[in-house]
Amino acid sequence: MFSGFWEASRKSPFAGPTVAAKCEGSQQTQLIPTRNISAAAINPGESCEYGSMVYYGYCAFGGLLSCGITHTGIVPLDLVKCRIQVNPEKYKGIFNGFKVTMREDGVRGLGKGWAPTFFGYSMQGICKFGFYEVFKVVYGNLIGEENAYVYRTGLYLAASASAEFFADIALSPMEAVKVRIQTQPGFAHTLRAAAPIIYGQEGLWGFYKGVVPLWCRQIPYTMMKFACFEKTVELLYKHVVPKPRDECTKGEQLVVTFAAGYIAGVFCAIVSHPADTIVSKLNQDKGSTAIGVAKKLGFAGLWKGLFARIIMIGTLTAAQWFIYDAVKVAFRLPRPPPPEMPESLKKKLAAQQA
């Protein structure tokens, strides 16, 4: 099974254009010369081959750092955002929310839920980024090199949606704990105390009852996050950056990564916000359902806390892409440049125009 998957990865339309770097100390071998849609030229300094298990492992580790660190870093803003969503009468806005929280709980109160946030989003990051790289290769092989280029946006959407499906299963238990710690007055303040309470009251279902609305929130968010990022990077190098990507320094490339990530994050926040509100309310109220929560809140209520979430998700997404790309740089992984039309497709178009 693994040998077949390995062979598929080597033949991916996302593989390098001319050569592929084996893991440390091995010789370089030529792969399929024309397959150059979205992989960086493999240089002697790279640590592993594109599509190898080592490559996917490093990508998963990059996802762990990317999501775990960033989500934990914005716990105070996330806490206020959740409280605005579930109790807008008390927390009337982002600034008022911080003021009320600090008055009642002190500065330490802004850190409530940091542990489930760190562990939950670290697990989510492993699946989100790791599986995205896997599914991008697998789906690219299924539709072929030329279709993978022509329909690359659809490919990004399909790969990211598939990855997020599994990522949310990993996230759901910790998300349930986090929201209750942050929004239920008098509830336990730590992961160690909160998890047994939820299990004792609702069983295992208490950790997964929010997985469907979580899918509704996170899958559109992740589809936008990856597809918008990939297209924004492509457009920035084409129309904004004054020189080709391979002539940019690693630092300049990371600046482009951060800018594209922030732009993608703004769209992500808008697309996924109603479902995010439902998840927050659902995990706060025992026995509630997603449809019941949506009816109770109404259309306007579903958009409470949007401004705070745009700030949070924009910064978050930019930082995540920056960290993820920085991990690839640090471990000398293959880093795909913006896609280029395959030679075979260029010849077909030239023949049609002749």
Side-chain angles (χ1 to χ4, degrees), residues 5 9 55-56 129-140 159:
F5 180 77
S9 297
Y55 174 79
Y56 292 136
F129 284 91
F131 283 141
Y132 174 71
E133 299 287 354
V134 172
F135 283 120
K136 191 164 67 168
V137 169
V138 171
Y139 294 160

Side-chain angles (χ1 to χ4, degrees), residues 175-252:
E175 180 75 1
V177 175
K178 174 189 78 75
V179 171
R180 298 213 186 173
I181 289 174
Q182 292 179 337
T183 62
Q184 283 190 1
F187 196 71
H189 291 176
T190 66
L191 169 61
R192 184 172 51 190
I197 294 174
I198 296 175
Y199 184 77
Q201 292 178 345
E202 301 180 62
L204 194 60
W205 174 243
F207 296 105
Y208 287 98
K209 73 174 186 177
V211 72
V212 173
L214 199 57
W215 280 329
C216 294
R217 179 189 84 183
Q218 288 296 129
I219 290 178
Y221 163 84
T222 301
M223 292 170 71
M224 181 66 72
K225 174 179 180 174
F226 281 86
C228 185
F229 172 80
E230 299 269 20
K231 293 296 292 184
T232 302
V233 167
E234 184 179 337
L235 292 173
L236 287 176
Y237 278 113
K238 186 175 181 180
H239 300 292
V240 179
V241 180
K243 55 185 175 182
R245 181 183 184 271
D246 56 5
E247 294 180 13
C248 295
T249 65
K250 292 292 192 295
E252 290 170 338

Side-chain angles (χ1 to χ4, degrees), residues 66 70-71 74 77 221 258 261-266 269 308-323:
S66 172
T70 53
H71 278 278
I74 60 165
L77 184 59
Y221 163 84
F258 186 86
Y262 208 103
I263 293 169
V266 172
R309 194 156 188 269
I310 285 177
I311 296 173
M312 182 181 79
I313 297 299
T315 306
L316 184 82
T317 305
Q320 284 180 352
W321 278 114
F322 183 88
I323 292 171

Side-chain angles (χ1 to χ4, degrees), residues 79-321:
L79 179 143
V80 172
K81 182 267 300 180
C82 286
R83 290 183 173 182
I84 292 171
Q85 290 173 325
V86 302
N87 193 355
E89 294 80 16
K90 182 176 180 179
Y91 303 94
K92 296 179 173 58
I94 182 170
F95 298 110
N96 177 260
F98 272 104
K99 183 179 177 181
V100 172
T101 298
M102 291 184 68
R103 184 175 66 238
E104 294 183 347
D105 301 327
V107 176
R108 288 189 63 185
L110 293 173
K112 280 185 177 179
W114 74 266
T117 297
F118 175 75
F119 291 112
Y121 282 93
S122 292
M123 292 186 291
Q124 187 210 40
I126 290 172
C127 298
K128 185 197 295 276
F129 284 91
F131 283 141
Y132 174 71
E133 299 287 354
V134 172
F135 283 120
K136 191 164 67 168
V137 169
V138 171
Y139 294 160
N141 286 328
L142 287 176
I143 63 177
E145 178 190 12
E146 293 180 3
N147 286 330
Y149 172 79
V150 174
Y151 303 108
R152 58 191 180 280
T153 301
L155 182 61
Y156 303 147
L157 292 170
S160 58
S162 301
E164 189 60 36
F165 176 86
F166 295 102
D168 290 341
I169 295 174
L171 169 65
S172 184
M174 293 296 101
E175 180 75 1
V177 175
K178 174 189 78 75
V179 171
R180 298 213 186 173
I181 289 174
Q182 292 179 337
T183 62
Q184 283 190 1
F187 196 71
H189 291 176
T190 66
L191 169 61
R192 184 172 51 190
I197 294 174
I198 296 175
Y199 184 77
Q201 292 178 345
E202 301 180 62
L204 194 60
W205 174 243
F207 296 105
Y208 287 98
K209 73 174 186 177
V211 72
V212 173
L214 199 57
W215 280 329
C216 294
R217 179 189 84 183
Q218 288 296 129
I219 290 178
Y221 163 84
T222 301
M223 292 170 71
M224 181 66 72
K225 174 179 180 174
F226 281 86
C228 185
F229 172 80
E230 299 269 20
K231 293 296 292 184
T232 302
V233 167
E234 184 179 337
L235 292 173
L236 287 176
Y237 278 113
K238 186 175 181 180
H239 300 292
V240 179
V241 180
K243 55 185 175 182
R245 181 183 184 271
D246 56 5
E247 294 180 13
C248 295
T249 65
K250 292 292 192 295
E252 290 170 338
Q253 292 175 14
L254 289 173
V255 169
V256 173
T257 295
F258 186 86
Y262 208 103
I263 293 169
V266 172
F267 289 102
C268 288
I270 296 170
V271 166
S272 62
H273 189 74
D276 180 67
T277 303
I278 291 174
V279 169
S280 296
K281 196 70 176 174
L282 191 65
N283 283 318
Q284 183 204 32
D285 298 337
K286 249 190 332 185
S288 57
T289 65
I291 295 175
V293 168
K295 288 181 179 179
K296 182 179 177 181
L297 291 174
F299 180 79
L302 292 173
W303 296 96
K304 291 286 185 180
L306 177 61
F307 177 68
R309 194 156 188 269
I310 285 177
I311 296 173
M312 182 181 79
I313 297 299
T315 306
L316 184 82
T317 305
Q320 284 180 352
W321 278 114

Side-chain angles (χ1 to χ4, degrees), residues 19-42:
V19 293
K22 298 291 184 182
C23 292
E24 303 277 2
S26 62
Q27 289 186 340
Q28 309 226 342
T29 57
Q30 183 169 358
L31 292 181
I32 300 173
T34 59
R35 302 205 180 231
N36 61 355
I37 180 171
S38 69
I42 308 300

